[in-house]
Amino acid sequence: MAILVVGEHDNAHLSDATNKTVTAAIKIGGDVDILIAGENAGDVAAEAAKIEGVRKVLHADGASLAKQMAEAMQALIVPLMGDYDALLAPATTNGKNYLPRIAAALDVMQISEIISVEAPDTFVRPIYAGNAMQTVRSTDKIKVITVRPTAFEAAKTGGGASVTSIDAPAGPFKSTFVGEELTKSDRPELTAAKIVISGGRGMGSGENFVMIERIADKLGAAVGASRAAVDAGYVPNDYQVGQTGKVVAPELYIAVGISGAIQHLAGMKDSKVIVAINKDEDAPIFQVADYGLVADLFKALPELEDAL
């Protein structure tokens, strides 16, 4: 069995999500190759070649692949699939964009956001906002799969795979990249942070999030929020953790003033240690928390900051 993993990167550095997707591919079994598609991404290809368990790296470099647009990725990947039995990509914004298009072109059913590999053709994925786990078996000749990175350990580095250059699709394509506005922060990226501290509606206002930010800076943590806090305008929507936000699984997750609606729990329940601070002792968040503090957050947060 041969498996192709699509590498996630920014043309300069390989994302940790790629290493975790490689782990899922290794669990399926067979030869694992990585595709690095980008522009001036030679360093990324060399970085991918160091991942343990990888047979070879396919490197496609060209202007059409700079932002991994769906049409260009389809034109690149579909012809390659004659040599592979499975195609895996991280369940990130990019992966969720191009992989369904590729699955449609291959006329196969995509299996989304797997969290476990039971057999080469059998996988577990969450449904109903994580309330239930579905085991699915695919009879398609080619398996097209997105992998939830938070569910797998990152593959280690130390390998020495070969790097093979392949041609990038020339285009032209109907869609073009216009621009992007990215949030810049000195704090870790939310989905990659080892510590996340999130605030909910209980914070009362956006100004009160400064208390969380000060603690985050002391801990080297990322700042998150519940959908209620985002909808109330306290913080930008890129802070949102949950079913309709970002899925995180840090070593430590601190939930402050978050009641624990199922949509939020779906985005953070795989965290290694969960700490909850809420004045409502019946809040659902305490059902998943390893440590719970029933207290007024406006008293607890200053005390925590002083202790740190």
Side-chain angles (χ1 to χ4, degrees), residues 175-263:
S175 57
T176 57
F177 178 77
V178 176
E180 63 187 355
E181 294 182 12
L182 301 177
T183 302
K184 294 182 180 180
S185 174
D186 293 332
R187 300 189 187 97
E189 204 280 320
L190 190 56
T191 57
K194 292 184 178 180
I195 303 174
V196 174
I197 177 169
S198 292
R201 192 198 306 271
M203 295 303 299
S205 69
E207 289 76 14
N208 290 333
F209 260 80
V210 172
M211 294 191 295
I212 282 183
E213 291 169 351
R214 289 200 299 261
I215 292 174
D217 291 339
K218 287 194 172 187
L219 293 173
V223 175
S226 67
R227 178 171 180 172
V230 171
D231 288 349
Y234 297 169
V235 290
N237 60 10
D238 54 307
Y239 279 37
Q240 185 175 325
V241 173
Q243 182 186 6
T244 53
K246 296 177 180 178
V247 177
V248 300
E251 294 177 8
L252 173 62
Y253 186 87
I254 305 173
V256 182
I258 295 175
S259 63
I262 188 62
Q263 291 86 351

Side-chain angles (χ1 to χ4, degrees), residues 79-158:
L80 297 175
M81 293 314 298
D83 297 327
Y84 294 95
D85 303 292
L87 174 67
L88 273 65
T92 57
T93 302
N94 276 348
K96 292 177 182 179
N97 182 34
Y98 57 72
L99 221 64
R101 186 184 183 98
I102 294 168
L106 294 172
D107 194 25
V108 299
M109 180 77 75
Q110 176 176 306
I111 303 172
S112 301
E113 300 217 24
I114 67 166
I115 61 170
S116 176
V117 177
E118 302 298 303
D121 63 349
T122 307
F123 313 93
V124 177
R125 59 182 296 270
I127 58 174
Y128 303 136
N131 272 327
M133 296 298 153
Q134 182 183 59
T135 302
V136 294
R137 176 176 292 142
S138 172
T139 58
D140 285 324
K141 183 178 179 181
I142 299 176
K143 314 290 189 285
V144 175
I145 301 166
T146 61
V147 176
R148 181 172 286 190
T150 56
F152 295 90
E153 295 292 332
K156 297 180 180 179
T157 57

